């Protein structure tokens, strides 16, 4: 399974929604502190871009040499229509400072000097140390997962349905009776996760691991072809 650090890096560097939480700053009294962009530096620090007049920028500038702690909270929602769409959340804790002169006109770059992180997702809940986060790499499919899942859902529903046959005799028997919908819910370099949803509202997830990790979309296509071929026999 992907490590907690890899999963956290993947969420940070994905298109999932994110908001900065600053103690003492009332989010109800201002716009949500959602960065315009975010990236990770070589030391594992997060760089968050905001409008220059954002409350986040004002708070960081006002603190100057004082310690200003903040938390970047990321919410991961499945890009396809499926029950229980929130796939996970990640939080990155750290010290917030300004980075003068590093953004475009009317914008300011903030640095979140990464402390510990925490991820709670489809794999489970785990803490991540700063060094683990720094050294981890995001999943190579992170930039394509949304498009790939939506394509599988809309164009390969029949093939997805054949995956029921790989779930074992007992489960397959139950599936053949109720024919639950098979919806692709997550995809990474190691495999595909689907959610089977019955007409009675019951759901369960099944994970199909690839024979070996994939490094790009080309290798993914081969892995998916192998998986569907196995299900067809």
């Amino acid at each position: 399974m992907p490590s907690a650090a890899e999963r956290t890096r993947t969420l940070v560097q994905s298109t999932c929604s994110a908001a900065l939480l600053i103690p003492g700053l009332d989010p109800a009294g201002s716009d949500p502190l959602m960065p315009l962009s975010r990236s990770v530096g070589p030391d594992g620090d997060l760089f968050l871009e905001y409008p220059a007049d954002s409350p986040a920028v004002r708070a960081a500038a006002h603190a100057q040499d004082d310690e200003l702690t903040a938390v970047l909270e990321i919410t991961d929602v499945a890009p396809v229509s499926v029950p229980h769409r929130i796939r996970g959340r990640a939080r990155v804790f750290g010290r917030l400072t300004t980075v003068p002169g590093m953004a475009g006109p009317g914008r300011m770059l903030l640095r979140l000097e990464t402390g510990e992180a925490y991820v709670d997702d489809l794999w489970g809940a785990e803490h991540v140390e700063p060094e683990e986060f720094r050294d981890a790499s995001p999943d190579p499919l992170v930039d394509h997962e949304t498009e790939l899942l939506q394509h599988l859902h809309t164009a390969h529903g029949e093939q997805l349905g054949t995956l029921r046959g790989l779930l074992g005799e007992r489960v397959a028997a139950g599936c053949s009776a109720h024919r639950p919908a098979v919806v692709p819910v997550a995809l990474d370099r190691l495999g595909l996760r689907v959610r089977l949803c019955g007409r009675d509202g019951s759901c369960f997830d099944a994970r199909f691991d690839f024979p070996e990790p994939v490094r790009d979309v080309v290798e993914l296509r081969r892995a998916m072809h192998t998986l569907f071929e196995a299900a067809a026999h």
Side-chain angles (χ1 to χ4, degrees):
M1 62 180 286
S3 70
E6 178 183 334
R7 283 146 45 204
T8 305
R9 279 291 292 259
T10 299
L11 290 182
V12 168
Q13 296 181 231
S14 71
T15 58
C16 297
S17 64
L20 194 63
L21 308 178
I22 301 176
L25 192 63
D26 182 9
S30 62
D31 294 330
L33 302 181
M34 301 174 65
L36 301 172
S37 67
R38 59 184 188 263
S39 59
V40 181
D43 296 327
D45 294 336
L46 273 58
F47 291 91
L48 312 172
E49 189 179 29
Y50 284 93
D53 60 353
S54 165
V57 172
R58 292 199 298 268
H62 180 72
Q64 295 181 354
D65 295 331
D66 295 333
E67 190 84 4
L68 179 63
T69 58
V71 182
L72 185 71
E73 185 173 72
I74 300 165
T75 302
D76 180 24
V77 180
V80 295
S81 179
V82 65
H84 317 297
R85 285 187 68 179
I86 294 181
R87 301 188 299 185
R89 289 187 171 88
R91 293 183 178 91
V92 181
F93 302 79
R95 176 174 172 264
L96 192 66
T97 58
T98 60
V99 187
M102 293 298 290
R107 298 185 176 188
M108 178 67 76
L109 204 61
L110 302 181
R111 176 193 285 115
L112 186 65
E113 298 178 14
T114 306
E116 66 174 352
Y118 177 80
V119 62
D120 185 357
D121 60 8
L122 297 173
W123 295 100
E126 296 182 65
H127 286 277
V128 179
E129 295 298 326
E131 297 79 11
E132 295 174 322
F133 180 82
R134 178 197 65 203
D135 297 339
S137 297
D139 189 90
L141 301 180
V142 63
D143 293 331
H144 309 284
E145 189 203 17
T146 293
E147 180 184 355
L148 291 167
L149 287 177
Q150 291 173 344
H151 175 73
L152 281 172
H153 186 44
T154 58
H156 296 279
E158 185 175 341
Q159 288 175 293
L160 288 169
T162 65
L163 297 179
R164 299 186 193 98
L166 298 177
L167 299 178
E169 292 182 7
R170 185 175 179 182
V171 175
C175 286
S176 63
H178 301 289
R179 304 295 293 179
V182 181
V183 182
V185 73
L187 183 65
D188 57 60
R189 65 187 177 89
L190 300 177
L192 170 70
R193 184 187 295 266
V194 301
R195 184 159 296 162
L196 292 93
C197 302
R199 295 177 183 176
D200 59 355
S202 62
C203 293
F204 71 92
D205 285 5
R207 170 88 182 178
F208 299 96
D209 291 335
F210 299 141
E212 58 186 25
V214 301
R215 293 171 293 184
D216 52 36
V217 175
V218 174
E219 292 186 2
L220 172 67
R221 290 195 186 100
R222 296 194 200 105
M224 290 300 302
H225 178 74
T226 301
L227 178 61
F228 286 143
E229 207 171 47
H233 292 85

